[in-house]
Amino acid sequence: MQQQYASTLVVIAIPCNNFNNIEPDSNEEIQQFIQQYQLSFPVAARQDVVGDEAHLLYQWLAHQQQNGVMDVLPRWNFTGIHIGEKGLIEKVFDPVVSPLG
């Protein structure tokens, strides 16, 4: 997706370990693992995406009164969140749905 829409889209992966402990690796281990895939998009440090320790981005996403659009709470890894050019949430993709249609 990043390659297909490179002129208008930036994909950012944010690993988390909030769902059934499936991403317990350290940031260093995550970076070593993803090197084999030669990704064309950045991968952030592991963050909490739900709960009291959620990263500020996900706190903003989770509260419609803050982001002005909707409450977004990821239910599983690989939830896709499209934030448009104006900084508003445009669409949320469940992990089983391809954002490419």
Side-chain angles (χ1 to χ4, degrees), residues 5 12 14 28 31 35 40 44 50 76 78 83 94 97 99:
Y5 298 101
I12 302 170
I14 304 173
E28 294 78 20
Q31 291 301 318
Q35 284 180 2
S40 60
V50 295
W76 195 252
F78 301 104
I83 299 174
D94 279 333
V97 176

Side-chain angles (χ1 to χ4, degrees), residues 18-37:
N18 294 116
F19 308 107
N20 288 347
N21 199 36
I22 63 172
E23 189 64 71
D25 295 337
S26 69
N27 287 319
E28 294 78 20
E29 291 168 321
I30 292 168
Q31 291 301 318
Q32 287 176 351
F33 175 77
I34 63 172
Q35 284 180 2
Q36 66 185 315
Y37 295 102

Side-chain angles (χ1 to χ4, degrees), residues 21-88:
N21 199 36
I22 63 172
E23 189 64 71
D25 295 337
S26 69
N27 287 319
E28 294 78 20
E29 291 168 321
I30 292 168
Q31 291 301 318
Q32 287 176 351
F33 175 77
I34 63 172
Q35 284 180 2
Q36 66 185 315
Y37 295 102
Q38 300 175 339
L39 301 177
S40 60
F41 53 86
V43 178
R46 191 178 78 188
Q47 304 291 331
D48 283 334
V49 301
V50 295
D52 293 339
E53 300 297 317
H55 185 276
L56 290 175
L57 170 63
Y58 286 92
Q59 291 179 31
W60 176 80
L61 287 166
H63 296 95
Q64 179 180 8
Q65 65 271 23
Q66 291 181 26
N67 65 52
V69 180
M70 67 178 79
D71 295 339
V72 178
L73 290 169
R75 296 180 311 172
W76 195 252
N77 285 343
F78 301 104
T79 297
I81 303 165
H82 179 217
I83 299 174
E85 292 179 21
K86 295 181 180 175
L88 298 175

